[in-house]
Amino acid sequence: MATNDKWYPPSPDQESSANLRVVLIGKTGTGKSATGNTIIGDDVFESRSDPNCVTQDCKVGQKERFSVKLEVIDTPGFMDPMLSPENIAEKFASCSCLKSGVHVLLLVLRIGHRYNGNDAEAMKLIAKIIGEDFVHHAVVVFTGKEQLDESNSLENHISKLPNEIKKIIKSCKGGAIAISNTGSPDERKESARKIIDKIQDIVRQNGGSDKQYRMAVFHGIERRIEEGRRRIRESNTQIQEEIRCLRSEMDKLTRADQHDQRQNIERKIQHLETQPINDDTAQSAATHQAYFRSISDIIQSIPVPTSNIIDFGLGAATVAVIAVLMKVFK
Ligand SMILES: Nc1nc2c(ncn2[C@@H]2O[C@H](COP(=O)(O)OP(=O)(O)OP(=O)(O)O)[C@@H](O)[C@H]2O)c(=O)[nH]1
Ligand SMILES: [Mg+2]
C-alpha cells in the first residue's frame, strides 16, 4: 500500500533520507527516464522521443512508495553522439548522490531494439565507468513490455539476443524483468511494484541495505587524490629542506666581499618560500587534478587540456593552483 505518494526533490545540503538508492543506466533512448517516472509515480524526469539524448545530466528524485523510501537517479544515456565517453564519465563522477554508492542498478534495455556493434561498445563503456562488478547489484529492466505476448514471452525475446547481452542478463543478480511505461495508471503502478519488489529482493540477497555498490569512476578518483596529496607532502618537504641548506650556506658567507653571493642566495630562498602550498589549497587542487586524471585514465583518453578544466566549471584561481601543481608534479 502506498503511504506517501508525494514526490519531493532531495535537499542538496542534506544527507539522503532514502533507505534505498537506485540508479538507471543504459543506452540513450531505452526508456530510463520513463522508468524513473514509473517508479516514482510522477513525471519528474524528462522523457520523450528524440534522436538526440534527452537527459543531459544526472537527476535525482526521492519518493516513498509501497512503504519503501527510494532515491532514484536518472543518468544520461551511453553512446549518444552528443556525449563523448569523457562527458559521460564526467557526468557520473560529478553526481554527488552516486559518490557514496548505490543499492541497485537498473540496466534499461528496450524490447524490439535491433542490436549492433554499438551495443557491445555501450556495454564495454558501462563496464569501464561503472565497473564490471555492477552485475552483483543489477537487474535488467526491459521497457516496451506491451510488445510481448503469449507467443513472444520475455524468455523467448532474451533467447534471440546477442550472446554478450545474454551473458550480462545471466550474471545480473536480479536477472531480467519487463515493464511498460505507457500503460494505464494502474498498469504503471503494477510496473512500479514489480521493480521495487525486485530492488528489495536484490538488497536482501546482497545482505541488506548496508551493502552498496561504488562505481569504478569513483575508485580511480580516490586513489588519485591520495596519490596527489602524498606528492604534495613530499614536494613541500623537499622545498623546506632546500631552504634549510641555502640558509646554512648563507650563514657561512660573512665576509664583505661575499655580499653579492649572499644576495643571490636570499633571492633563491625568497623564491622557494613562495612555492609551498598550504594544505587546504593543495587538497582542493589535488582533488580536482585527480578528478581529471581519473576520468582520462578510465576512458583511456588523452590528458585533459587546460581549456577543458575551465569547461568543468572551475574558477580561475583553481586553474592557477592546478598549473602550479602540474609544475610540482613534473
Ligand atoms: N512504447 C513504449 N515506449 C516507451 C516505454 N518506455 C519509454 N518509452 C518511450 O521511449 C522514448 C524515450 O524514453 P526516455 O525515457 O526519454 O528514454 P531515455 O533512456 O531516458 O533517453 P535519454 O535520456 O535520451 O538517454 C519516449 O518517447 C518514451 O515515451 C515503454 O515501455 N513502451
Ligand atoms: Mg532520459
Side-chain angles (χ1 to χ4, degrees), residues 111 142-149 178-181 191 194:
I111 288 168
F142 281 98
T143 59
K145 179 176 175 258
E146 67 281 356
Q147 291 181 53
L148 298 176
D149 55 31
I179 59 137
S180 176
N181 291 311
S191 292
K194 195 170 172 180

Side-chain angles (χ1 to χ4, degrees), residues 24-309:
L24 295 142
I25 57 168
K27 265 185 74 175
T28 194
T30 52
K32 297 179 296 300
S33 304
T35 303
N37 291 337
T38 296
I39 298 170
I40 281 179
D42 207 344
D43 286 343
V44 296
F45 303 121
E46 196 180 349
S47 165
R48 60 165 198 273
S49 173
D50 199 305
N52 295 318
C53 68
V54 175
T55 305
Q56 297 273 342
D57 290 294
C58 295
K59 194 179 166 192
V60 187
Q62 290 187 338
K63 176 74 175 267
E64 186 172 322
R65 265 205 122 179
F66 311 117
S67 304
V68 184
K69 273 189 176 178
L70 292 162
E71 184 167 275
V72 180
I73 304 164
D74 188 19
T75 65
F78 285 83
M79 305 309 287
D80 187 279
M82 282 168 69
L83 288 175
S84 69
E86 289 90 343
N87 291 154
I88 288 277
E90 179 217 335
K91 286 182 190 256
F92 274 83
S94 57
C95 177
S96 57
C97 294
L98 291 172
K99 212 162 149 188
S100 54
V102 292
H103 292 96
V104 173
L105 298 99
L106 308 172
L107 175 60
V108 182
L109 302 182
R110 183 62 168 270
I111 288 168
H113 171 72
R114 287 212 190 108
Y115 290 85
N116 55 36
N118 189 277
D119 293 277
E121 281 306 306
M123 291 303 163
K124 278 188 203 156
L125 196 56
I126 288 177
K128 263 188 195 167
I129 293 172
I130 311 284
E132 285 180 6
D133 286 345
F134 86 90
V135 289
H136 302 312
H137 290 257
V139 54
V140 172
V141 178
F142 281 98
T143 59
K145 179 176 175 258
E146 67 281 356
Q147 291 181 53
L148 298 176
D149 55 31
E150 278 164 19
S151 64
N152 184 26
S153 66
L154 179 61
E155 290 68 32
N156 186 31
H157 176 74
I158 293 173
S159 70
K160 293 184 222 152
L161 297 177
N163 282 337
E164 312 91 81
I165 308 284
K166 275 196 266 193
K167 232 165 97 183
I168 288 169
I169 296 173
K170 216 169 153 200
S171 49
C172 279
K173 188 83 141 217
I177 56 172
I179 59 137
S180 176
N181 291 311
T182 55
S184 67
D186 277 353
E187 283 166 339
R188 287 189 77 183
K189 199 166 176 178
E190 214 29 64
S191 292
R193 188 184 281 276
K194 195 170 172 180
I195 300 173
I196 293 167
D197 281 351
K198 183 56 88 176
I199 290 168
Q200 288 185 292
D201 180 39
I202 294 172
V203 171
R204 257 194 308 273
Q205 285 191 63
N206 281 333
S209 58
D210 289 348
K211 305 279 161 44
Q212 297 196 43
Y213 180 75
R214 300 204 70 212
M215 296 182 175
V217 74
F218 293 107
H219 299 180
I221 284 175
E222 270 166 15
R223 202 188 62 242
R224 291 290 185 161
I225 288 171
E226 205 26 67
E227 192 190 310
R229 284 187 183 144
R230 186 182 54 72
R231 293 176 75 166
I232 286 163
R233 277 196 300 270
E234 275 174 18
S235 84
N236 270 347
T237 312
Q238 267 175 25
I239 290 169
Q240 292 306 329
E241 179 58 20
E242 222 173 304
I243 293 175
R244 201 187 57 73
C245 291
L246 286 170
R247 284 231 163 91
S248 103
E249 214 179 297
M250 200 168 69
D251 287 345
K252 289 180 206 152
L253 306 173
T254 49
R255 292 202 321 266
D257 62 348
Q258 290 171 326
H259 179 74
D260 285 355
Q261 276 172 277
R262 277 182 65 91
Q263 270 198 337
N264 248 343
I265 294 178
E266 252 169 40
R267 268 197 297 275
K268 271 190 198 165
I269 291 175
Q270 267 170 15
H271 173 72
L272 282 172
E273 278 174 344
T274 62
Q275 296 291 302
I277 300 156
N278 78 49
D279 271 3
D280 283 353
T281 322
Q283 285 196 6
S284 103
T287 308
H288 287 135
Q289 199 191 35
Y291 171 75
F292 303 126
R293 285 197 180 176
S294 300
I295 288 172
S296 341
D297 280 359
I298 286 159
I299 52 190
Q300 290 168 12
S301 69
I302 39 153
V304 181
T306 318
S307 59
N308 276 11
I309 292 174

